[in-house]
Amino acid sequence: IRAGAVMNILRLVPLAAPFACVALAACQPQTSAQETPPLAGAAIGGPFTLTNQDGKRVSERDFAGRYRIMYFGYTFCPDVCPTDAAAIGKGLAMLDASDPALAKRIVPVFVSVDPERDTPAVLKGFVANFHPRMVGLTGTPAEIAAVSKAYAVFSGKGD
């Protein structure tokens, strides 16, 4: 670089500094002491009683004191559900390695939205592929409709 070019650049620095400050300020989140969190007051989830992959009836109380990763899907799903279940299982396996105490407080739960096909036996084979602590839940169509509504999940059968 020539000395003249360096001098021209240095002359532009005082002009550019105010713009750089404005640009940096624009990147900062705008918060106020009175601002509420985006999910404040959101009501999602609720009581449920469903059947797990071992045929045992369980409720949300059986998971008390643990964080739940609630995933709604179906075992006959050709792509998204197994891909997501694998990602959940892999993430939890990584946490098992890095922070086992925290990982033990997390339970991944796969709730079937296809109770006619997803029997406990089918769920048992499915969840076993992803993580040893993954729980599969199914129930009657009415029970699945109720838990889906409580968790703000929409599902439907295609034509």
Side-chain angles (χ1 to χ4, degrees), residues 86-104:
I88 291 167
K90 184 176 181 178
L92 196 50
M94 291 169 63
L95 192 58
D96 283 335
S98 67
D99 192 343
L102 176 59
K104 287 180 184 175

Side-chain angles (χ1 to χ4, degrees), residues 38-88:
L39 295 178
I44 189 165
F48 62 82
T49 301
L50 297 169
T51 304
N52 74 8
Q53 73 269 21
D54 296 319
K56 179 183 172 198
R57 297 291 283 174
V58 297
S59 76
E60 79 287 349
R61 293 180 303 278
D62 292 298
F63 304 105
R66 294 187 283 169
Y67 301 106
R68 288 174 282 174
I69 300 173
M70 300 291 289
Y71 186 90
F72 290 76
Y74 58 104
T75 64
F76 287 84
C77 174
D79 47 20
V80 175
C81 301
T83 301
D84 288 347
I88 291 167

Side-chain angles (χ1 to χ4, degrees), residues 53-54 66 85 88-90 92-94 96 106-108 124 126-136:
Q53 73 269 21
D54 296 319
R66 294 187 283 169
I88 291 167
K90 184 176 181 178
L92 196 50
M94 291 169 63
D96 283 335
I106 300 171
V107 58
K124 187 170 189 145
F126 183 82
V127 297
N129 288 308
F130 303 108
H131 195 275
R133 287 195 313 274
M134 187 172 282
V135 175

